[in-house]
Amino acid sequence: MDSMLQEARLLNSDLGRHCVRTKFTSHLSGRFYNNSSLQRHTAKRRNLSRMQAKVRKLEREHKLQLARNEQLLLIKMEVERKHELMIDRLFKFLKGLTKLQSYIRRKLAMKLYREMKEHRFKMLNIIARFCQIRYRGWKGRLRVRTIREAIRQKLMND
């Protein structure tokens, strides 16, 4: 054990000079020092198992993330499909509304046209009646005048 300590001190010192400190420590370190103790072996094993556990954990997280990404992609595709379906339904709905509006406007226009036609027909009847009344009155007065003239002529001639 003594020779190992001397070798370690010799390796850790500056180019063969003696160590200033002579205090022994179990925590030896140095440029060429290789710790092959059971403590170092168990520490390496613990570190290795910790690193392997960390790798497994990261792999699980990576798989979970991939699964989440795939699930989100499926959800996104479903949302896009529903969005397109809703746009198609909206266009169909608007087209239906436009047809209904057109139908109602056409019916209202036909009703207004019939009313205007009926009003025109009534106005033509009123105008015709007015003209007939005036004409018959004028014709009647003309006839009365001619009869009066004929009677006067008769009275004057007799």
Side-chain angles (χ1 to χ4, degrees):
M1 181 83 167
D2 233 9
S3 66
M4 195 164 115
L5 181 60
Q6 285 177 352
E7 285 178 17
R9 284 183 182 162
L10 182 65
L11 288 174
N12 289 327
S13 66
D14 289 334
L15 298 173
R17 287 192 206 159
H18 294 293
C19 285
V20 176
R21 279 195 297 173
T22 59
K23 189 174 177 185
F24 176 75
T25 61
S26 63
H27 186 294
L28 297 174
S29 63
R31 187 170 174 193
F32 302 107
Y33 178 70
N34 188 7
N35 187 0
S36 62
S37 66
L38 182 63
Q39 187 181 16
R40 177 68 181 153
H41 181 68
T42 56
K44 276 187 173 183
R45 191 173 250 172
R46 248 186 289 128
N47 194 19
L48 179 66
S49 66
R50 194 171 356 116
M51 293 303 273
Q52 287 173 343
K54 191 173 185 180
V55 165
R56 283 192 300 270
K57 180 183 174 188
L58 288 174
E59 285 175 350
R60 267 187 272 125
E61 286 179 3
H62 181 66
K63 285 180 183 177
L64 283 174
Q65 188 64 35
L66 288 176
R68 282 187 201 127
N69 288 347
E70 188 176 325
Q71 200 172 24
L72 287 175
L73 184 64
L74 290 174
I75 290 171
K76 181 183 175 187
M77 289 170 56
E78 181 69 20
V79 166
E80 286 175 355
R81 188 186 64 80
K82 286 182 179 181
H83 185 260
E84 289 175 5
L85 184 66
M86 289 306 295
I87 287 175
D88 289 343
R89 286 181 181 170
L90 180 65
F91 282 141
K92 286 180 183 177
F93 180 70
L94 290 176
K95 189 175 180 181
L97 279 179
T98 306
K99 283 184 178 181
L100 178 66
Q101 194 177 37
S102 172
Y103 175 78
I104 290 173
R105 286 182 177 170
R106 188 170 51 243
K107 286 292 183 184
L108 290 174
M110 288 303 293
K111 182 180 176 184
L112 182 63
Y113 174 73
R114 277 189 237 110
E115 288 175 359
M116 287 172 58
K117 195 174 176 182
E118 187 179 325
H119 181 71
R120 184 173 183 258
F121 181 73
K122 285 179 182 178
M123 289 303 292
L124 286 175
N125 282 340
I126 291 171
I127 290 170
R129 200 174 305 131
F130 176 77
C131 290
Q132 284 175 354
I133 290 169
R134 289 291 176 183
Y135 177 76
R136 287 178 184 162
W138 172 73
K139 201 62 161 163
R141 286 190 295 277
L142 190 63
R143 196 184 243 171
V144 168
R145 196 178 306 141
T146 55
I147 292 172
R148 238 187 240 146
E149 285 294 323
I151 293 175
R152 263 194 216 147
Q153 284 293 329
K154 262 190 190 181
L155 286 175
M156 284 211 193
N157 285 342
D158 282 342

